[in-house]
Amino acid sequence: MVTDLTEKQAREKILDQVSEYYIKYHVKDEYKDGDRISYAARIYDSQELINLVDSSLEFWLTSGRYTNRFEKEFAEFIGAKYCALVNSGSSANLLAFMALTSPLLGERAIGKDDEVITVAAGFPTTIAPIIQYGAIPVFVDVTIPQYNIDITLLEKAYTKRTKAVMLAHTLGNPFNIKAVNEFCHSHNLWLIEDNCDSLGSKYYYNGEWRYTGTIGDIGTSSFYPPHHMTMGEGGAVYTNNSFLSKIIRSMRDWGRDCECPSGVDDFCGHRFDRQYGGLPLGYDHKYVYSHFGYNLKATDMQAAIGCAQLKKLPDFIQKRKENFTFLYKNLLGASNKIILPETEKASDPSWFGFLITCSDARRNQIVEHLENNRIQTRMLFAGNLLMHPCFENMKRNAKGYRVIGDLVNTDRIMRDSFWVGVYPGMTEAMLTKMVNCIKDQI
Ligand SMILES: Cc1ncc(COP(=O)(O)O)c(C=O)c1O
């Protein structure tokens, strides 16, 4: 019973019990041959559970002290001035893109029918916001075995309507940021880095190593469980541009003009003394809207888990790199039969997975063999997004998107590529089993 305790003592008692609960019910047995080898999993200890329960006991629920802490610490980690926590990586992409449509950006705002250069080999919600808004995604091919944009096609894709480039760093492998950024600067375009699969990847830029997601105008992250760190559902949008940050926060928080944090009134001291739009002088600033926004905030419970995960992130990144290297070294002898992934120049990837391209239409056979041996596999998400039912209507009308050349490599990825995991929970026994099973079938 906790009735005779102070609130602080009661909380401590509960949190001690949470620690015990974690040890008794959450600590897993070591991997044995025959166990399933998943491509990714949450890695956590009692601290994530403690933070989660601590936050739920407070019952603040919406963004609060853990959110503030997470946004500050995440921004410090990644080297961005501003970070906004959101409820998913897809929401992060939506928000990043929509921020660039803000009328406050004047001529640089992305408008309907403006074009955004991207690739079709990837995850659908990198592209969905472009289409949903009514802008035109312009698809170019990727290279194999880097699986990133073919930068030689950038100029071909450019028209007077091009306003932005929006790309993911595929499975942790940074795209050629130098070339893409130079292209963007030369045409005055925005660059959104979808960093959802590459948290912790670095790129050598202007004489220093920088985290991906911080070199373009806006970067995005996902904290869905398979990703580099998790809070269940969650995402982040980050930038070094204070004006963009203001727009991002406005659009995340219902489109409002005011910057009061949740539960705070009159943060700026001018709640009732200004005039906006056609509103009467003194209209409550809390209810003044400078954008047509959303509510994309995460809960403080998610942020609480994120604060604990962030402390583990450097180790997670290191382990992912080691696991990738193990697979690479042990599969190198088979590189005449399968195409191994190649790190982009000037980069230090924090890998999300180990991507393989097969020859002779053997992909499905190899994948089946791995799955039969309880090794989980994944495709490069959509393969070629244009081949999916969601594109059928647009194809019928032959409008709403453009394709530059033929997407030969994108199609090949759809047919011949798959990936296996390198998440930090993998042991040498698991990795060895994966190597042997792949070698069995090639
Ligand atoms: C490249 C990329 N962008 C965006 C997302 C979307 O993230 P979420 O699942 O958090 O919405 C994912 C999901 O895995 C992804 O791989």
Side-chain angles (χ1 to χ4, degrees):
M1 288 296 285
V2 295
T3 43
D4 51 347
L5 304 177
T6 64
E7 191 273 339
K8 186 165 179 279
Q9 288 166 331
R11 190 185 283 230
E12 277 166 10
K13 187 168 178 183
I14 291 167
L15 297 182
D16 283 346
Q17 286 176 345
V18 169
S19 271
E20 287 169 29
Y21 181 93
Y22 166 80
I23 292 164
K24 188 145 172 53
Y25 299 110
H26 277 259
V27 176
K28 299 247 165 33
D29 292 339
E30 278 210 353
Y31 166 80
K32 322 178 281 316
D33 192 28
D35 287 350
R36 183 148 177 78
I37 303 176
S38 47
Y39 83 100
R42 302 150 305 161
I43 307 290
Y44 60 98
D45 60 26
S46 56
Q47 197 56 52
E48 278 77 357
L49 263 70
I50 287 172
N51 281 17
L52 174 62
V53 172
D54 187 37
S55 151
S56 34
L57 289 174
E58 243 162 57
F59 210 62
W60 180 253
L61 304 180
T62 181
S63 50
R65 73 177 171 102
Y66 275 113
T67 305
N68 296 341
R69 185 175 136 195
F70 181 81
E71 288 179 339
K72 183 172 172 291
E73 291 179 0
F74 186 86
E76 276 164 14
F77 169 83
I78 202 149
K81 284 195 186 130
Y82 310 97
C83 166
L85 181 65
V86 293
N87 56 21
S88 75
S90 302
S91 297
N93 282 343
L94 173 67
L95 190 53
F97 179 81
M98 288 306 289
L100 299 180
T101 70
S102 166
L104 299 181
L105 297 172
E107 281 191 355
R108 288 203 66 196
I110 302 173
K112 296 215 187 305
D113 295 328
D114 280 345
E115 297 189 345
V116 180
I117 299 172
T118 188
V119 298
F123 199 78
T125 57
T126 313
I127 284 111
I130 307 171
I131 293 169
Q132 284 155 351
Y133 175 70
I136 312 287
V138 178
F139 295 105
V140 299
D141 209 3
V142 295
T143 58
I144 296 176
Q146 298 81 10
Y147 304 96
N148 279 316
I149 187 165
D150 180 348
I151 51 144
T152 63
L153 299 168
L154 283 168
E155 288 294 347
K156 281 197 192 111
Y158 178 79
T159 68
K160 284 204 173 71
R161 296 230 65 149
T162 312
K163 282 281 179 59
V165 176
M166 185 163 178
L167 293 168
H169 300 291
T170 304
L171 287 200
N173 202 14
F175 56 77
N176 186 335
I177 306 180
K178 183 170 185 291
V180 173
N181 220 16
E182 276 170 12
F183 168 76
C184 287
H185 284 160
S186 69
H187 295 292
N188 206 20
L189 311 177
W190 301 107
L191 174 58
I192 300 178
E193 290 175 71
D194 177 338
N195 203 32
C196 288
D197 295 343
S198 46
L199 182 57
S201 292
K202 285 185 175 166
Y203 190 83
Y204 196 70
Y205 191 77
N206 276 351
E208 57 175 344
W209 285 99
R210 289 182 41 189
Y211 281 114
T212 54
T214 64
I215 301 171
D217 296 287
I218 308 182
T220 60
S221 277
S222 164
F223 306 128
Y224 192 65
H227 289 260
H228 292 67
M229 54 164 280
T230 189
M231 45 180 84
E233 303 289 350
V237 183
Y238 28 96
T239 181
N240 282 310
N241 180 323
S242 62
F243 195 57
L244 288 181
S245 168
K246 199 173 151 47
I247 297 170
I248 288 164
R249 284 193 172 260
S250 165
M251 286 196 173
R252 183 193 65 174
D253 302 356
W254 304 280
R256 66 187 192 173
D257 195 73
C258 141
E259 288 174 37
C260 281
S262 292
V264 178
D265 288 345
D266 210 12
F267 184 66
C268 64
H270 294 287
R271 188 170 164 198
F272 296 112
D273 64 8
R274 297 217 166 137
Q275 197 272 321
Y276 301 91
L279 292 164
L281 175 70
Y283 193 82
D284 187 349
H285 192 204
K286 250 185 131 46
Y287 292 95
V288 174
Y289 301 97
S290 41
H291 293 103
F292 298 105
Y294 308 90
N295 177 359
L296 300 175
K297 293 195 301 300
T299 67
D300 221 37
M301 294 167 292
Q302 289 162 277
I305 300 168
C307 287
Q309 287 272 288
L310 204 45
K311 297 234 177 315
K312 300 181 174 73
L313 185 57
D315 287 345
F316 288 166
I317 294 166
Q318 182 56 30
K319 195 73 180 54
R320 282 180 175 275
K321 289 181 184 175
E322 287 167 15
N323 292 344
F324 180 92
T325 305
F326 184 97
L327 291 178
Y328 191 86
K329 281 192 177 148
N330 286 282
L331 287 168
L332 200 52
S335 58
N336 54 341
K337 298 187 186 137
I338 48 173
I339 301 174
L340 299 180
E342 191 177 296
T343 302
E344 290 274 5
K345 286 193 188 65
S347 77
D348 179 15
S350 164
W351 294 99
F352 191 41
F354 193 93
L355 196 44
I356 291 173
T357 297
C358 312
S359 351
D360 311 326
R362 307 243 313 144
R363 194 262 313 269
N364 291 359
Q365 213 175 314
I366 298 170
V367 162
E368 199 181 319
H369 180 68
L370 290 171
E371 295 280 350
N372 286 342
N373 279 279
R374 301 178 56 82
I375 297 167
Q376 201 174 28
T377 59
R378 283 289 178 270
M379 300 290 121
L380 185 57
F381 310 121
N384 180 349
L385 189 59
L386 290 156
M387 297 301 154
H388 287 255
C390 60
F391 255 94
E392 268 165 25
N393 205 25
M394 288 171 78
K395 276 191 185 158
R396 240 190 320 273
N397 299 327
K399 62 176 201 192
Y401 69 101
R402 284 202 305 126
V403 178
I404 304 302
D406 42 16
L407 305 180
V408 182
N409 287 335
T410 305
D411 284 336
R412 174 142 199 226
I413 290 165
M414 174 177 65
R415 269 194 330 264
D416 295 338
S417 305
F418 74 96
W419 58 280
V420 289
V422 294
Y423 79 97
M426 285 204 173
T427 61
E428 195 167 318
M430 293 155 97
L431 293 163
T432 305
K433 167 118 189 225
M434 286 157 65
V435 168
N436 292 340
C437 275
I438 292 169
K439 282 185 174 167
D440 278 353
Q441 274 297 310
I442 55 176

